[in-house]
Amino acid sequence: MCSVSTFSYLLFYALFTVLITAQCTNPTIRREWRTLDRDERAAWISAVKCLVASPNTPDLVATVNSSISQIPAMNTSASFWDDISYIHMDLNVKIHQMGMFLPFHRWFVHSVEKAMVEKYGFSGGFPYWNWTIDAPDFYKSSWWQDSDTESGLGGWGDPDKDYKVQDGAFARFALANPSYHPMRYQYTAQPFAAFATSSPTIAQFINSTMLETYANSTFHADQIAAIIAGNPSDLVNFQLSPDNWIVSAVIRYPSYPDLREIFFFQCAHGSVHAITGGDLAGTCPATTEDCIPGNKWWPNSPLFFLHHANLNETSATAFAGGSVQAFNNTTYLAEYPTGAPPMLNTSSDIYTDNMFPGAMIRDVSNHTAGYLCYVYE
């Protein structure tokens, strides 16, 4: 049941900045989705649906000029969940392929979890998706086999219905961004060719090897272990792996021998988005006109948050990067693979569009500290 004490919710936000500096004495536990029992899975899904049932918030303010973000105006009749997605749409050019990627998304998942806890009584302990389990046969994986209407994530979409999800708890999941449509998943084994076709800007960064790459070949368990072990305190190398499949394609020259293995991995993080297709890959609904696909409305899908909750711990305190995307050319991108100047630092504010309480990069640098306060199991 979706109910909330308005006073307690406002009080929580009023006290939030004070709690940032508190000690982490009772951390929540993040567990892989498939280790949850049915009731636990149903509770998380119920909290998500409560956010969908809630009205949009007047607090959300788009801060990026629409000529840059290339998104439609905010829909004031949309839901709170649609507002969550809209933050990501508005800020997309400020939170990808640059230093803000990891801090923003860490803050973003945490903020959504807090909204679920404070607004609807979710017990906390945000689950995550370990997609290395699914890599050997992504299409037939058990991940896509749970059709339970209360606790199941559902399966692949129907190609005859614009890849609308047909079963599970999200079969009737209505979304407003970029226009009204049902949630969609479209298995796409070799997605990078489609990316290159969709954008001349992207095409210049993708070579022939990447065009032929099967996305699930990039996120097997041994590959992820190598990325983590090889970059325990180096955010530039580590972030190239989970954030930026474009940079992974660029950094392939002999002058960068220490980064060539990153190109081989082709970016596990982006590949999970791409192979899942539909809303998690930012493809355009069939009924949407003048639509530019991309990473904008990825958070339409609840899987976005399970995906982003799966974050390596050993690189959690590393930070380096700029505040501007370096897409001028391949040389410039190779010089600034995690963002060009002005450079960010741990005192830089995380972009929020005024929807959730703000934080600085240093507040999310350690997930076992007072602000985030969670551990993995």
Side-chain angles (χ1 to χ4, degrees):
M1 180 177 180
C2 302
S3 61
V4 62
S5 165
T6 302
F7 174 76
S8 64
Y9 189 48
L10 294 177
L11 179 61
F12 160 73
Y13 279 137
L15 295 175
F16 199 87
T17 55
V18 176
L19 295 176
I20 284 179
T21 57
Q23 297 297 311
C24 178
T25 58
N26 187 29
T28 60
I29 300 174
R30 289 190 174 179
R31 297 161 52 203
E32 211 278 333
W33 178 260
R34 281 161 284 206
T35 69
L36 306 182
D37 62 32
R38 184 182 183 277
D39 289 344
E40 291 169 327
R41 294 194 299 269
W44 186 84
I45 288 174
S46 177
V48 169
K49 288 186 172 182
C50 284
L51 295 178
V52 175
S54 299
N56 76 302
T57 173
D59 296 332
L60 175 60
V61 178
T63 56
V64 178
N65 189 293
S66 60
S67 66
I68 298 173
S69 63
Q70 298 183 314
I71 61 174
M74 285 187 290
N75 185 339
T76 56
S77 62
S79 71
F80 192 87
W81 183 263
D82 294 315
D83 284 351
I84 290 171
S85 185
Y86 198 87
I87 297 175
H88 195 270
M89 292 170 63
D90 180 53
L91 296 173
N92 76 88
V93 298
K94 300 176 72 174
I95 57 175
H96 297 101
Q97 292 85 44
M98 61 181 63
M100 194 60 76
F101 171 75
L102 287 171
F104 172 85
H105 287 87
R106 204 175 287 151
W107 166 86
F108 195 30
V109 174
H110 175 73
S111 297
V112 171
E113 178 182 8
K114 286 298 182 183
M116 293 164 68
V117 170
E118 296 299 320
K119 289 172 74 71
Y120 304 114
F122 175 64
S123 62
F126 212 87
Y128 68 92
W129 177 11
N130 180 3
W131 18 259
T132 66
I133 297 172
D134 311 299
D137 192 346
F138 197 79
Y139 182 76
K140 295 181 180 179
S141 164
S142 63
W143 184 262
W144 306 104
Q145 306 301 320
D146 191 347
S147 61
D148 190 300
T149 57
E150 294 183 353
S151 64
L153 297 173
W156 295 107
D158 185 342
D160 295 328
K161 298 179 180 179
D162 192 26
Y163 298 95
K164 174 185 175 182
V165 174
Q166 298 296 299
D167 58 12
F170 297 117
R172 294 177 178 82
F173 203 64
L175 301 162
N177 295 315
S179 64
Y180 283 105
H181 70 279
M183 192 169 66
R184 303 157 301 131
Y185 295 135
Q186 178 184 356
Y187 176 69
T188 310
Q190 294 175 288
F192 304 111
F195 285 165
T197 301
S198 69
S199 170
T201 301
I202 293 177
Q204 68 175 314
F205 299 116
I206 297 180
N207 66 9
S208 58
T209 299
M210 197 167 189
L211 293 176
E212 299 171 359
T213 296
Y214 285 87
N216 66 314
S217 71
T218 70
F219 52 87
H220 284 260
D222 56 343
Q223 294 169 314
I224 302 306
I227 291 173
I228 293 172
N231 307 289
S233 59
D234 180 356
L235 185 72
V236 174
N237 280 12
F238 177 74
Q239 185 164 313
L240 285 176
S241 306
D243 173 30
N244 198 342
W245 51 265
I246 297 176
V247 174
S248 299
V250 172
I251 307 299
R252 61 182 184 270
Y253 308 112
S255 57
Y256 299 94
D258 57 326
L259 299 183
R260 279 180 294 184
E261 69 170 18
I262 303 301
F263 166 60
F264 174 76
F265 293 141
Q266 304 284 341
C267 175
H269 180 89
S271 293
V272 176
H273 279 284
I275 194 173
T276 303
D279 284 286
L280 195 62
T283 63
C284 294
T287 56
T288 305
E289 299 180 357
D290 301 321
C291 175
I292 301 174
N295 54 18
K296 305 177 187 69
W297 51 86
W298 286 354
N300 276 355
S301 168
L303 295 188
F304 173 93
F305 295 94
L306 301 179
H307 177 34
H308 281 266
N310 183 10
L311 178 63
N312 167 53
E313 300 176 51
T314 59
S315 292
T317 59
F319 180 77
S323 61
V324 179
Q325 291 178 330
F327 284 168
N328 299 45
N329 53 63
T330 57
T331 302
Y332 193 55
L333 185 58
E335 182 179 1
Y336 295 109
T338 56
M343 304 307 287
L344 299 168
N345 58 62
T346 57
S347 295
S348 299
D349 290 324
I350 296 172
Y351 313 125
T352 69
D353 274 0
N354 201 49
M355 184 169 173
F356 295 116
M360 289 184 285
I361 288 174
R362 66 167 172 252
D363 295 320
V364 298
S365 65
N366 183 353
H367 67 83
T368 61
Y371 180 81
L372 296 178
C373 196
Y374 61 81
V375 295
Y376 285 92
E377 182 180 281

